[in-house]
Amino acid sequence: MQPGSFPADGQIAWPGICYWGCSALARAVQAAGARLQRPLVVTDAGVWSALGPRVVSEFAAFEWTLHDGVVSNPSLVQVRQALHVARQHGCRSIVALGGGSVMDVAKVMLACLASGLEPERLLTPEGQTWLAAPSSGDDPLFIAVPTTSGTGSESSSAALIQGDDGRKHLFRSTRTRPGMVALQPDLTLGLPRAPTAHGGFDAVLHALGAWVNQDRSPVGKAMALHALRLCMKALPEVLRAPQSLQARADMQMGAYMAGVAIGLSKVDAVHAMCTPLESRVHMAHAEVLGPIFSVVSRYTVDTVPEPYAEAARALGVPTTGRERDDALALIEAVEALAMQAQIALRFESLRLTPGDASQLAAQAQQSASLPLHPRALAMDEIKSLYLQMAV
Ligand SMILES: [Fe+2]
């Protein structure tokens, strides 16, 4: 983005207070003080068995309740379960310990707890009005303690939850964004290679999407570019040295900053087209993103290479000064990261009829990020891009 090209009017909603470092959780809990009222600790069984003994001492000073029933790719069923426990125990604050699924369940549950609405009602105009309203001082305190680095859910205003109709729904609200975040890198040291790699690649594409899109928030753009720089450097390092606390800390901060960037600027067609496809294929988020990125970004730079080329130059990718070549150099650098992360750039068995592709394209068009994509994509173009990904 050229200096001075941001809109004359605008606003930002800063995410909450972020603590980082090896005592981050203790410092967050101490700062929260009495606002951490009867917290519900939301997590999943695997995370709790691995990390529960490490963090439990932080909650010794007050009454708290555990809910470790979150599963990956959560649905409204998991939200209802957590909400039931919270209401049963009179919980008035939330500590979410886990990855994106835990954060997303906690966000939607917080909306229900604060609004008194049932989860399905959040999809109605009444629920959307509550989600769009500014935070009231009475909203429960929410501390996010991420144990993965990737989704940026700890800092973003979005939660992706499967509805009762089987489709993934995006709940976007700045009032359900965590008011406090504890980035404690040692809690990610035990993360296995696949989620480490997938999360890192997801964070790269959050940062890149927020950078190349047409949103003009100067703060979002600055955050996106620095997040991209940090994530592209940290991902190979964390794959090479998973026990390196520095590499884990860099990856965690990069993913957090990418989450802040998408909270301010949203993403692009890569993520917009990913969400509908994820409802059809049983693959990890990053595995769906890889082929979509390759097809969509290469199509985009045919006519709009500038933001990709600018990122290549800012990040020190070898460039030529020719816009399209430099844009392709950046795409190739991201594709090389995907290969290092063992994420394929082609679907091996995706079969789509033209009717399937039309349906996916119609769903992708509902994303708020699609119209922000640097190259305007008409319905037929989105459909054609989906068909190019199929075998
Ligand atoms: Fe993502």
Side-chain angles (χ1 to χ4, degrees):
M1 191 171 68
Q2 297 302 313
S5 66
F6 55 86
D9 299 300
Q11 65 173 57
I12 60 162
W14 280 110
I17 304 166
C18 178
Y19 297 82
W20 65 86
C22 284
S23 63
L25 177 57
R27 286 181 286 130
V29 167
Q30 191 181 21
R35 287 184 297 150
L36 201 55
Q37 221 179 55
R38 283 181 177 268
L40 181 70
V41 177
V42 182
T43 185
D44 67 59
V47 165
W48 189 251
S49 69
L51 298 175
R54 300 255 305 277
V55 301
V56 77
S57 60
E58 309 299 349
F59 310 132
F62 42 81
E63 228 177 293
W64 58 280
T65 302
L66 175 67
H67 175 67
D68 65 355
V70 178
V71 297
S72 56
N73 295 317
S75 69
L76 288 180
V77 173
Q78 277 77 51
V79 176
R80 289 188 188 101
Q81 288 169 349
L83 185 62
H84 177 72
V85 177
R87 285 178 174 160
Q88 206 175 26
H89 290 84
C91 298
R92 288 297 306 152
S93 60
I94 299 168
V95 177
L97 176 76
S101 299
V102 166
M103 299 299 157
D104 288 2
V105 166
K107 284 177 182 175
V108 179
M109 189 202 76
L110 183 151
C112 296
L113 206 56
S115 67
L117 297 170
E118 295 307 307
E120 62 279 5
R121 295 295 296 275
L122 292 174
L123 296 165
T124 68
E126 181 188 14
Q128 294 296 311
T129 302
W130 188 91
L131 291 170
S135 177
S136 93
D138 294 336
D139 289 350
L141 177 67
F142 177 7
I143 303 182
V145 190
T147 59
T148 64
S149 299
T151 67
S153 189
E154 67 277 10
S155 54
S156 82
S157 51
L160 201 58
I161 298 280
Q162 193 176 49
D164 297 329
D165 57 2
R167 280 179 51 197
K168 291 205 170 186
H169 292 272
L170 193 65
F171 297 82
R172 195 180 279 283
S173 172
T174 53
R175 69 190 298 187
T176 63
R177 185 160 54 182
M180 286 186 167
V181 181
L183 299 180
Q184 196 162 308
D186 54 296
L187 297 180
T188 68
L189 280 175
L191 194 66
R193 184 180 170 90
T196 298
H198 290 176
F201 187 67
D202 186 23
V204 166
L205 292 193
H206 289 162
L208 183 59
W211 167 254
V212 299
N213 78 10
Q214 294 188 57
D215 181 83
R216 293 169 64 209
S217 160
V219 184
K221 291 297 169 197
M223 196 68 76
L225 189 59
H226 194 68
L228 185 62
R229 182 179 285 120
L230 202 47
C231 290
M232 288 186 69
K233 177 174 170 286
L235 180 53
E237 285 172 10
V238 83
L239 291 174
R240 185 179 51 76
Q243 289 305 309
S244 160
L245 201 57
Q246 187 60 56
R248 292 287 187 181
D250 288 349
M251 194 69 254
Q252 192 174 44
M253 181 57 79
Y256 168 78
M257 290 180 68
V260 176
I262 64 177
L264 293 167
S265 291
K266 300 191 175 63
V267 267
D268 61 357
V270 175
H271 265 80
M273 291 176 65
C274 182
T275 307
L277 202 50
E278 276 182 310
S279 297
R280 283 178 173 257
V281 295
H282 297 288
M283 295 167 68
H285 179 54
E287 291 172 332
V288 186
L289 285 172
I292 298 178
F293 167 75
S294 192
V295 170
V296 172
S297 61
R298 285 174 179 277
Y299 180 73
T300 303
V301 302
D302 273 345
T303 58
V304 190
E306 293 83 2
Y308 299 84
E310 198 176 335
R313 292 191 281 268
L315 268 54
V317 173
T319 52
T320 62
R322 291 186 297 275
E323 293 294 270
R324 190 165 175 281
D325 290 346
D326 293 351
L328 285 171
L330 182 84
I331 291 170
E332 282 161 14
V334 174
E335 288 176 342
L337 283 179
M339 302 304 280
Q340 282 182 57
Q342 293 177 308
I343 293 166
L345 296 168
R346 295 284 174 267
F347 289 115
E348 284 199 353
S349 59
L350 178 68
R351 295 184 202 288
L352 293 176
T353 65
D356 293 333
S358 294
Q359 203 174 33
L360 289 167
Q363 289 170 9
Q365 279 191 315
Q366 290 170 21
S367 163
S369 291
L370 195 94
L372 295 174
H373 193 70
R375 177 173 182 170
L377 297 175
M379 175 80 175
D380 278 352
E381 290 172 287
I382 303 169
K383 183 180 162 185
S384 157
L385 290 167
Y386 273 125
L387 288 172
Q388 284 176 46
M389 295 167 205
V391 290

